[in-house]
Each structure stands twice: as structure tokens, then as C-alpha cells.
Amino acid sequence: MNIEEYTEKIGARFPFKIFALFLISAMIFACNNSNQSKEPTEELPNIVFIMADDMGYGDVGSYNPQTAIPTPNMDKLASEGIMFTDAHSPSAVCSPSRYSLLTGRYSWRTRLKKAVLLGYDESPLIEEDRMTLASLLKEKGYTSAGIGKWHVGLNWQTKNGYTLQDDLNESEEYSGVVRENEENVDFTKPVSGGPLDLDFDYFFGTFGCSTSDPPYVFIENKHTVGIPSVLIPDSLDMLPGVVKGLMVPNWSEENVDLEFTQKATEFIDKTQKANNKKPFFLYLALSSPHIPFLPPEFAKGKSEEGPRGDLVAVVDWSVGKIIETLDQYNLSKNTLVIVTSDNGPRKGANGHLSAGNFKGYKGSIWEGGHRVPFIARWPDRIKKGTTSGQVISLTDMFATFSKLTGATSTGGEDSYNILPAFFGEKIHDKDKQIRIFHSYAGKFAIRKGKWKLIEGETEGDGPEVGKSAAKTKGELYDLSTDPYETTNLWESNPQTVLELSKLLLECKETESVVNL
């Protein structure tokens, strides 16, 4: 039966053409409604932020095709999302970078003017009334977990009111002071000032550098998992960078990141089994590939670089496990996954360029000290296989997550919203954006547009330093043509030096870089 016969059969009182138009319109309306139901919803995305410890720009295959380390999971993530080629940690070492990531504020605005936190006496860098990524997201209903290396300070309780001694020095007595403090810590009592006091819902991790600083014990929420009661063995104590101290019996350096990864997947499991439909934020701070370079059995020999490279392979394995868990619960489509590093790497072995072709390594003010891999994937939102040259910093996550979720913030003084760059858009005010970098020794650099200025140093003669001190020549690079910092333009561009030096001084003297 054709349409004319059908209209006659049902006794239609209007002409066929009108009926046909009505029928076609109805079909289009139904089709549109069907398409709309398949569009991505406006529900808030889950956020998974994975940060390696000392993983370099040249360690990951998608950044360095000549890498000596297999990184198939991170490479796949890059092919499914976006990789940033001009991403930075705010500091060339860990404690200050972690502070800046969590607060959107430079660590040199705190008491930590150089180096990292060391020892039991180090109280929390983050004040309990300061907003963090967890408290920002809590406003929008997120459940948050901090898993892995904390290293921004905790308050330990002591026996009989003992006052912990200052060990924030690198004197020969450092290890001795650590041991004296350690003997007076009461490990049966809860710690404070950590993730749970900063609006994380769950914490499983370690106090400082997971594999090189005591106590060698996991902390779950506010209590140690067991009591550190035995000294680390001589075989571990003799390794470079390892500080002698107490550990729990059967502590395994090799399995630290395996434990972190398991707890991370268990957290995802619990959020899904709770069936409360709340979005989650997972901050997974791995300990690899930090010293002392002791990979687990399954990773030994994975790379051609050696044990450090094997630990980069452990990072890649962990990324794979997290992605696998997201896929298991069909969460990948609405989960923003970010993989990066807290700072630049230590020098690679066997000819491996761990920092790529960039100058410097961990701790230094040059690009190799703070330029890091940064990969983001969010299916259907971030275009596959894209690359961005936008300058970004870990400090920017605060303002970016605020924009992403619609959360209101009262912090993030040094944080820019770089969300448009995730979607391939240009940030039109990029030349107004200022980035500050900080070295292990407390040396500053400032980046504005294509220019990077490294401040000079003060020198003097003998005991009269205070009177005859003079500023040595600093460094100025045009990173658009010289990303590897080979040609110092300080003397040939005095006006740029003057402008950036003045801007750096203003940054130090004001509370907010963003508003300059």
C-alpha cells in the first residue's frame, strides 16, 4: 500500500502533500531526539592524575622515538589523546612541585625557599585552611583519593612531648638527627596535616620519598600500616641517596609502586560498587623512577637503559593497570586521564637521553630540570593523536579543574586555566601568561612568551661579600628558535633582560602571578 492509498483508507480530510510533510517532519523530530540521546551528557568527568617521580621528557616513546625504554601504555594514551610538548613542573625537584600542583600556588611563597622537605620535623607545607584540588572538587561532589608519595609534610606525634629537632640541613649529621627524631616518634598515634585534613576522602601512601627516606612504611588515612621497628639492612643503606632509618618488617622497596597501583584500582572498584554515581578524583603519585633504582622482578631487564629505565617501565605498567580498570567499568569515555612527572629526570645510562635533547637534569633551572611529558586523554572530548605546543605548568591544574567542573575557588593564585588547550584551541592571552621556574638551589627563571630569563648570581670577594657583592650575568634564551638553550642572548637583548628582570621581581613581591 502506498501513501496515497493509506491516506484514503484512514479517511484523511487533508490533502496528501500536507500529510506527507507532516509525516516527514515527525520522522525528522524523532531522529533528532534519537541523536540527542546519544550525545555526551553534561555529567562531570572522573579525573585520574598520575604523576611519576623523576620521569623525563626523553623517557617516553611518544616524546622520544629513540628511547631505550618500552612505554606502550603511555604511547597508546598519547595516540588516543593529546601530548603537550611545552609542559613544565614549577620546580626542578619534588616537594615544591607537589605543593604547587595541589594548591595552584608556587612553593617559594612558603617557608620552602629551596631544596625539598627532609626529616620528621617537617610540618605540613599546606595549611589546613588552604584550598587544594581535593577541596575544590569536593564542592562539586567528587570523592577523592590521594595514593602514593605525599612529601609535602605531616605532623608526627612524639613520645613524652619530645620536640622534633630541625634537620632541614644537609650537614654530615643529617642522618644522625633523623635517627634521634625517629627514636622519639610514636608510630602508634595518628598523623595530622595530611590528605584527610585537606579534603581527600582516602589516603594510602608514604610520608616522603617512598624508597629513599624513612620511615619505610605505608600510611593509610592517618595511621601507619604496621609499626616501623627494624633498621633498614646494610644492603639498602649503602645505596646512593638512601637515608638510614626504621622500616616495618618485610618492607619491600621493589614492590612500593605495585602496592600503590593496587590501592588505586581498589579505590576505583569501591567508587563503582558504592553505586552512588558520584564522580571521583584519583591522584596517584608513583615513586618510580626515583632512586635507589630497585625494580620489581617482573620489570628487571625491560629496558636497555638499566634499572632506572626498568622503573620507567613500571610507571608504564601502572598506567596500563589503571586504564584496564577504567575499561572494566566502562568509565574511560567520561574520565580525563593525565600522565606526567613531578620534575625532570636524573641522567640516563647507556647513552639514553632521559631529558631528550634539553639542557640539564633534575634539580637544574634549565629545561631538562623542569620540562616534563604531559599526556591527557578524554575520549570524545579531546581529539585523538593531537599535539600542543601551549606552555603549561602543573600549577595550572587548579584553575583548569575549576573551569572544567564549574567549581568556585578561593586559591590558585599562580594558576592559569589552560582547559581550551586540551581541546586544541589557542589561548589568546598566552603572551600575558607568566611562568616561574625554581631550581633545587633556589634559583629563579621566568618565562613569558618565547623568552626565558634565568637570574644571575651574587658573587663577592672573600669576607667582604656583603659589601662588594655584584650580580653576575644571567641567561636569556629565545625558546622559539633555541629550545635547547645553546645561545645566551643576555648581552645582545638588554631591553628584554630589563623587562623580564623587572617582571620577575614583581612576581616575587606580589601574591598572585596571574593578576600581573
Side-chain angles (χ1 to χ4, degrees):
M1 180 184 299
N2 59 33
I3 291 181
E4 287 108 320
E5 293 172 334
Y6 180 76
T7 56
E8 183 177 347
K9 182 177 179 67
I10 64 173
R13 295 183 180 180
F14 45 86
F16 160 71
K17 289 183 178 179
I18 295 177
F19 174 79
L21 287 171
F22 170 81
L23 184 61
I24 292 170
S25 297
M27 293 171 66
I28 291 173
F29 177 79
C31 183
N32 284 342
N33 279 350
S34 175
N35 287 339
Q36 286 176 359
S37 66
K38 294 178 181 178
E39 290 178 357
T41 63
E42 293 301 315
E43 64 180 315
L44 294 172
N46 305 306
I47 301 173
V48 174
F49 194 94
I50 304 173
M51 187 161 69
D53 191 352
D54 299 355
M55 183 173 73
Y57 190 97
D59 286 332
V60 183
S62 51
Y63 284 86
N64 175 17
Q66 282 75 49
T67 183
I69 307 165
T71 56
N73 292 307
M74 287 187 278
D75 297 342
K76 185 173 186 291
L77 202 72
S79 71
E80 296 172 344
I82 187 169
M83 51 184 284
F84 287 83
T85 57
D86 208 346
H88 301 264
S89 58
S91 173
V93 284
C94 50
S95 291
S97 284
R98 291 163 199 274
Y99 174 89
S100 296
L101 166 69
L102 291 169
T103 66
R105 182 173 183 252
Y106 289 125
S107 178
W108 45 265
R109 299 193 189 280
T110 73
R111 71 177 192 274
L112 189 64
K113 306 301 183 185
K114 63 179 182 179
V116 299
L117 296 189
L118 295 170
Y120 289 91
D121 68 301
E122 292 293 0
S123 58
L125 271 184
I126 307 175
E127 311 97 317
E128 288 190 21
D129 60 350
R130 180 167 296 281
M131 186 171 266
T132 64
L133 289 180
S135 47
L136 178 80
L137 297 173
K138 190 182 189 74
E139 176 194 319
K140 303 302 292 186
Y142 278 76
T143 300
S144 297
I147 295 175
K149 174 178 172 178
W150 183 239
H151 210 187
V152 285
L154 288 173
N155 288 318
W156 294 95
Q157 297 193 57
T158 61
K159 303 170 184 175
N160 303 319
Y162 175 83
T163 301
L164 297 174
Q165 305 302 305
D166 178 15
D167 50 26
L168 188 60
N169 61 69
E170 297 178 68
S171 67
E172 295 179 359
E173 294 77 30
Y174 169 65
S175 292
V177 176
V178 169
R179 288 289 299 119
E180 183 180 347
N181 281 338
E182 190 170 59
E183 289 295 330
N184 286 281
V185 171
D186 190 339
F187 290 107
T188 68
K189 294 180 179 178
V191 296
S192 62
L196 265 64
D197 292 319
L198 298 170
D199 285 325
F200 281 91
D201 298 293
Y202 176 72
F203 172 61
F204 182 91
T206 54
F207 169 49
C209 287
S210 310
T211 53
S212 63
D213 295 339
Y216 299 97
V217 60
F218 294 118
I219 301 170
E220 188 162 30
N221 294 325
K222 291 192 173 189
H223 291 271
T224 59
V225 182
I227 303 299
S229 57
V230 296
L231 279 174
I232 58 171
D234 290 341
S235 59
L236 182 59
D237 183 38
M238 65 184 292
L239 295 174
V242 174
V243 178
K244 194 176 190 69
L246 291 174
M247 70 176 191
V248 290
N250 301 317
W251 172 260
S252 170
E253 292 278 89
E254 294 85 350
N255 292 331
V256 167
D257 281 326
L258 279 61
E259 291 279 353
F260 289 162
T261 303
Q262 180 179 336
K263 291 296 181 179
T265 59
E266 287 176 0
F267 168 73
I268 298 173
D269 289 336
K270 289 177 181 177
T271 63
Q272 299 313 295
K273 291 174 182 176
N275 199 32
N276 56 22
K277 304 302 181 183
K278 291 174 65 174
F280 63 82
F281 168 51
L282 170 60
Y283 167 49
L284 174 57
L286 298 169
S287 66
S288 295
H290 195 279
I291 54 173
F293 306 150
L294 294 175
E297 196 63 38
F298 79 88
K300 290 180 179 178
K302 283 286 185 180
S303 81
E304 295 178 6
E305 188 208 348
R308 195 200 77 90
D310 293 347
L311 285 176
V312 174
V314 171
V315 174
D316 191 75
W317 167 86
S318 180
V319 170
K321 286 296 181 182
I322 299 302
I323 297 300
E324 183 181 299
T325 305
L326 293 174
D327 289 342
Q328 176 186 339
Y329 290 104
N330 297 316
L331 294 171
S332 290
K333 186 174 182 180
N334 197 41
T335 300
L336 170 61
V337 177
I338 294 172
V339 177
T340 186
S341 180
D342 64 343
N343 47 249
R346 293 175 184 269
K347 187 175 181 179
N350 299 323
H352 171 68
L353 299 177
S354 57
N357 291 311
F358 293 105
K359 183 178 181 179
Y361 295 96
K362 173 182 178 176
S364 75
I365 198 62
W366 296 297
E367 292 292 290
H370 53 79
R371 190 178 293 226
V372 294
F374 189 102
I375 300 168
R377 187 195 75 171
W378 185 7
D380 295 341
R381 299 300 301 274
I382 293 176
K383 188 176 179 182
K384 290 183 178 180
T386 51
T387 301
S388 173
Q390 171 69 44
V391 180
I392 68 171
S393 170
L394 299 185
T395 316
D396 297 333
M397 295 305 99
F398 193 93
T400 302
F401 290 175
S402 175
K403 183 66 174 179
L404 172 66
T405 62
T408 56
S409 65
T410 56
E413 298 94 325
D414 300 310
S415 182
Y416 293 97
N417 167 32
I418 51 93
L419 186 63
F422 280 54
F423 307 130
E425 301 172 21
K426 290 184 178 180
I427 298 179
H428 299 294
D429 63 345
K430 65 179 181 179
D431 289 334
K432 296 179 182 178
Q433 293 187 10
I434 303 160
R435 300 299 192 291
I436 307 294
F437 309 120
H438 207 218
S439 75
Y440 179 85
K443 193 171 186 178
F444 284 91
I446 184 169
R447 172 81 178 271
K448 183 181 179 185
K450 68 180 184 178
W451 294 107
K452 176 183 177 182
L453 177 141
I454 301 173
E455 65 178 0
E457 296 178 343
T458 299
E459 291 183 346
D461 301 316
E464 298 298 316
V465 167
K467 294 181 180 180
S468 62
K471 203 77 171 178
T472 62
K473 183 177 71 174
E475 299 172 54
L476 178 71
Y477 299 102
D478 178 350
L479 295 184
S480 67
T481 58
D482 184 22
Y484 305 128
E485 299 170 299
T486 61
T487 305
N488 186 358
L489 303 175
W490 183 277
E491 292 184 343
S492 59
N493 288 267
Q495 188 59 37
T496 302
V497 168
L498 182 64
E499 291 174 0
L500 291 181
S501 296
K502 181 180 177 182
L503 188 55
L504 178 57
L505 181 61
E506 291 177 0
C507 291
K508 293 178 183 179
E509 293 178 343
T510 60
E511 289 297 318
S512 172
V513 166
V514 172
N515 293 326
L516 282 175

